[in-house]
Amino acid sequence: MWSKDKIVSRAALPAVVAQWKAEGQRVVFTNGCFDLLHLGHVDYLEKARHLGDRLVVGLNTDASVSCLKPGRPLQDEMSRARILASLLFVDAVVLFDEQTPLQLIETVLPDILVKGDDYAISGIVGHEVVLQHGGQVLTVPLVAGYSTTRIVERIRQLGD
Ligand SMILES: Nc1ncnc2c1ncn2[C@@H]1O[C@H](COP(=O)(O)OP(=O)(O)OP(=O)(O)O)[C@@H](O)[C@H]1O
Ligand SMILES: O=P(O)(O)O[C@@H]1O[C@H]([C@H](O)CO)[C@@H](O)[C@H](O)[C@@H]1O
């Protein structure tokens, strides 16, 4: 499969997820901005994938990111999507334009919803609906010292 084929539209995603579930595969969902992919992201996504059988990544569009993180993203949504899709342990990437992935999570109803442990379970968008449908909500420990913000700060220092 070509990486670009892993980038799935909102309309096509339900059938893809339904097929995986029909095959008895546990679907893991996570989401994020993933601007300037770094070691923390890779470690986290790989661990998230191994909590189940298929990993779906909800990716904030450029418009969504710019609302959440002024001045961002540094990389456009298609770049961010393609880079995520190129990872062996990512099975699908789907863009969402809202400020939160709640509607997307209600569509996917993953078996497992995951975020980094910079989030408390109660602060993870979608945790209620996933738990109500018998799914799990889990966090993955952060890799200390890695963040996109930190990368940006270090680049800024180069200019000083
Ligand atoms: N160092 C890290 N180790 C593990 N997971 C991480 C790390 N940094 C971010 N994540 C996780 O990656 C997902 C996407 O986070 P995000 O795109 O905000 O990355 P970020 O580096 O924190 O960006 P920013 O610095 O702009 O907030 C989130 O679920 C977050 O918990
Ligand atoms: O990359 P981030 O900032 O970790 O991703 C955000 O996550 C939010 C999270 O799901 C809240 O529980 C989400 O609401 C937001 O849209 C970003 O994806």
Side-chain angles (χ1 to χ4, degrees):
M1 171 181 272
W2 292 95
S3 61
K4 64 180 174 56
D5 295 330
K6 293 188 195 174
I7 302 171
V8 181
S9 67
R10 291 283 283 265
L13 183 65
V16 171
V17 169
Q19 179 63 31
W20 287 338
K21 289 183 176 180
E23 294 164 355
Q25 300 194 71
R26 293 165 301 156
V27 177
V28 182
F29 181 93
T30 192
N31 55 275
C33 300
F34 297 103
D35 195 15
L36 298 185
L37 206 70
H38 53 70
L39 173 64
H41 290 142
V42 171
D43 186 76
Y44 154 76
L45 290 168
E46 188 164 26
K47 285 173 179 168
R49 162 64 183 77
H50 286 88
L51 292 171
D53 302 299
R54 292 284 185 174
L55 176 61
V56 178
V57 180
L59 181 65
N60 296 75
T61 60
D62 292 344
S64 175
V65 173
S66 62
C67 289
L68 295 168
K69 304 181 180 184
R72 296 280 191 73
L74 298 169
Q75 285 187 297
D76 65 83
E77 63 197 38
M78 285 322 292
S79 298
R80 291 183 285 120
R82 184 71 181 276
I83 291 166
L84 283 171
S86 71
L87 298 174
L88 178 69
F89 37 81
V90 170
D91 295 287
V93 179
V94 56
L95 288 162
F96 67 95
D97 210 28
E98 304 94 321
Q99 295 219 10
T100 82
L102 183 57
Q103 287 183 317
L104 183 55
I105 291 167
E106 288 170 340
T107 303
V108 173
L109 288 181
D111 299 291
I112 301 155
L113 173 63
V114 184
K115 288 293 285 184
D117 70 4
D118 48 329
Y119 289 93
I121 298 289
S122 60
I124 297 174
V125 168
H127 76 278
E128 301 99 329
V129 67
V130 169
L131 292 172
Q132 282 163 10
H133 284 78
Q136 292 177 277
V137 182
L138 303 172
T139 58
V140 171
L142 297 187
V143 178
Y146 290 89
S147 72
T148 303
T149 298
R150 192 180 178 116
I151 295 170
V152 172
E153 284 165 1
R154 290 182 65 176
I155 292 171
R156 282 212 175 100
Q157 287 164 7
L158 291 176
D160 291 349

